[in-house]
């Protein structure tokens, strides 16, 4: 305040281009001097301890942030909000896949399969070792009745707690996604079937009863075959005769005649005799 009281009245001067240039030069000089005063730094590697401290700081920040959050007013979830949420999830999935770099696939070797099976067996054994000893109790009709009543009560309570939903129309996009999911499920099921069942034979005992049934099936098949043959005997299937069929039929007939009558052999002998005669005429 005293400083401003001692300041007299000044004469304002216009900001000229020269003053603008000087001001920019001063800012550039200040930036250059600031960077020159910064010394050289030594990069430090990111150790597991630093990673742990960083995670703890993030957790503490999250806790403090949640403590400072006040009371809010809940808003209903509308179909528009559901649509926007699904779009955001799809966009996030696309961006995540775009940022994924190239990976080197590694084959699943028999050793890896063996280790995986051992781990599953160890987990199963460790889980069973943690179980204490139990006393088996018979399942009485009373226990069955109580179990059925509990299931019915649970079903009723579940239906009572269900709120009213907003029906959404079944769009062509939803139909396409549903068909894609069914196709994916079918492919995965087929792969599992080929890996587990296909190529493995089921061993069945060859009992006298099985042999009798097999013989009966053969006899029934033979009788059915002869019955169908007798019914179809004497009948024919009409076929349309076109010029191409006639030409092929005539060519096949000519080939058959040549092969049967030996015309081709006689033609070769005559050609050979003609060549010999021409040579004799040339030498004579």
């Amino acid at each position: 305040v005293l400083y401003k009281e001692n300041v007299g009245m000044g004469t304002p001067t216009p900001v000229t281009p020269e003053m603008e240039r000087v001001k920019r030069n001063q800012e550039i000089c200040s930036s250059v001097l600031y960077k020159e005063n910064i010394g050289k730094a030594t990069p430090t590697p990111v150790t597991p301890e630093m990673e742990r401290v960083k995670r703890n700081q993030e957790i503490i920040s999250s806790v403090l942030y949640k403590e400072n959050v006040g009371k809010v007013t809940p808003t209903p979830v509308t179909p528009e909000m559901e649509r926007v949420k699904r779009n955001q999830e799809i966009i996030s999935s696309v961006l995540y896949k775009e940022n994924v770099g190239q990976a080197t696939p590694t084959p699943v070797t028999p050793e890896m399969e063996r280790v995986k099976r051992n781990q599953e067996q160890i987990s199963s054994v460790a889980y069973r070792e943690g179980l204490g000893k139990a006393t088996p109790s018979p399942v009485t009709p009373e226990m069955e009745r109580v179990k059925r009543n509990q299931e019915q009560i649970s079903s009723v309570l579940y239906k009572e707690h269900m709120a009213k939903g907003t029906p959404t129309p079944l769009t062509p996009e939803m139909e396409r996604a549903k068909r894609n999911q069914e196709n994916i499920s079918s492919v995965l099921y087929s792969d599992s079937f080929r890996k587990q069942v296909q190529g493995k034979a089921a061993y069945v005992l060859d009992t006298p009863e099985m042999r009798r049934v097999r013989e009966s099936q053969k006899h029934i098949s033979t009788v059915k075959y002869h019955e169908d043959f007798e019914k179809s005997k004497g009948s024919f299937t009409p076929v349309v005769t076109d010029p191409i069929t006639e030409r092929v039929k005539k060519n096949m007939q000519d080939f058959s005649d040549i092969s049967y009558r030996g015309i081709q052999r006689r033609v070769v002998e005559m050609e050979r005799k003609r060549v010999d005669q021409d040579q004799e005429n040339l030498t004579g």
Side-chain angles (χ1 to χ4, degrees):
V1 176
L2 294 176
Y3 170 75
K4 292 182 181 179
E5 288 179 354
N6 295 328
V7 176
M9 297 175 65
T11 302
T13 57
V15 180
T16 61
E18 183 65 20
M19 294 176 67
E20 289 286 341
R21 185 182 63 78
V22 172
K23 185 178 179 180
R24 284 197 300 273
N25 291 339
Q26 288 293 332
E27 291 176 354
I28 294 170
C29 292
S30 299
S31 175
V32 171
L33 292 175
Y34 171 75
K35 292 181 180 178
E36 287 180 353
N37 293 330
I38 296 176
K40 295 182 179 179
T42 304
T44 57
V46 180
T47 60
E49 182 65 20
M50 293 174 69
E51 289 285 343
R52 184 182 64 79
V53 172
K54 184 178 179 181
R55 284 196 300 272
N56 290 340
Q57 288 293 332
E58 292 175 354
I59 295 170
I60 292 169
S61 300
S62 176
V63 172
L64 294 176
Y65 171 76
K66 292 180 181 179
E67 288 180 353
N68 294 328
V69 174
K71 295 182 179 179
V72 297
T73 304
T75 57
V77 180
T78 61
E80 181 65 19
M81 294 173 66
E82 288 287 341
R83 184 183 66 79
V84 172
K85 184 178 178 181
R86 286 196 298 272
N87 291 341
Q88 288 294 331
E89 291 176 355
I90 294 170
I91 293 170
S92 300
S93 176
V94 171
L95 293 176
Y96 171 74
K97 292 180 180 178
E98 288 179 354
N99 294 329
V100 175
Q102 295 183 355
T104 303
T106 57
V108 180
T109 60
E111 182 64 18
M112 293 173 68
E113 291 286 342
R114 184 183 64 80
V115 172
K116 183 177 179 182
R117 285 196 300 272
N118 290 342
Q119 288 293 331
E120 292 174 355
Q121 293 173 359
I122 292 169
S123 300
S124 176
V125 171
Y127 170 76
R128 292 179 181 177
E129 287 179 353
L131 295 174
K133 295 181 179 180
T135 304
S137 58
V139 179
T140 60
E142 181 66 16
M143 294 174 68
E144 290 286 342
R145 185 182 64 79
V146 172
K147 183 178 179 181
R148 283 196 302 272
N149 291 340
Q150 287 293 332
E151 292 176 355
Q152 294 172 359
I153 292 169
S154 300
S155 177
V156 172
L157 293 175
Y158 172 74
K159 292 180 180 178
E160 288 179 354
H161 291 154
M162 290 181 67
K164 294 182 178 180
T166 303
T168 57
L170 192 60
T171 60
E173 182 66 19
M174 294 173 68
E175 288 286 343
R176 185 182 65 78
K178 184 178 178 182
R179 286 196 300 272
N180 289 342
Q181 288 295 329
E182 292 176 354
N183 293 336
I184 293 169
S185 300
S186 176
V187 171
L188 294 176
Y189 173 76
S190 300
D191 290 342
S192 177
F193 173 78
R194 284 194 294 270
K195 291 178 181 178
Q196 298 180 6
V197 180
Q198 192 175 10
K200 296 181 180 179
Y203 298 97
V204 181
L205 295 177
D206 190 11
T207 59
E209 182 66 20
M210 295 281 289
R211 287 195 292 271
R212 185 183 65 79
V213 171
R214 189 164 58 248
E215 291 294 331
S216 299
Q217 289 294 331
K218 289 181 181 179
H219 294 324
I220 292 170
S221 300
T222 305
V223 172
K224 182 67 176 174
Y225 172 75
H226 284 292
E227 182 180 352
D228 295 339
F229 175 75
E230 292 294 333
K231 287 181 180 180
S232 61
K233 187 168 64 173
S235 61
F236 63 91
T237 303
V239 180
V240 179
T241 303
D242 55 353
I244 297 176
T245 306
E246 289 290 339
R247 183 176 60 81
V248 173
K249 184 177 179 181
K250 187 174 181 304
N251 291 338
M252 294 301 295
Q253 186 67 33
D254 293 341
F255 291 152
S256 299
D257 292 343
I258 291 172
S259 299
Y260 177 73
R261 297 175 183 176
I263 296 175
Q264 184 70 21
R265 186 172 59 256
R266 288 202 297 271
V267 169
V268 173
E269 292 177 356
M270 292 173 65
E271 182 68 20
R272 183 167 53 80
K273 290 180 180 179
R274 186 182 65 80
V275 172
D276 293 342
Q277 187 176 1
D278 292 340
Q279 289 180 355
E280 290 177 357
N281 294 331
L282 292 173
T283 56

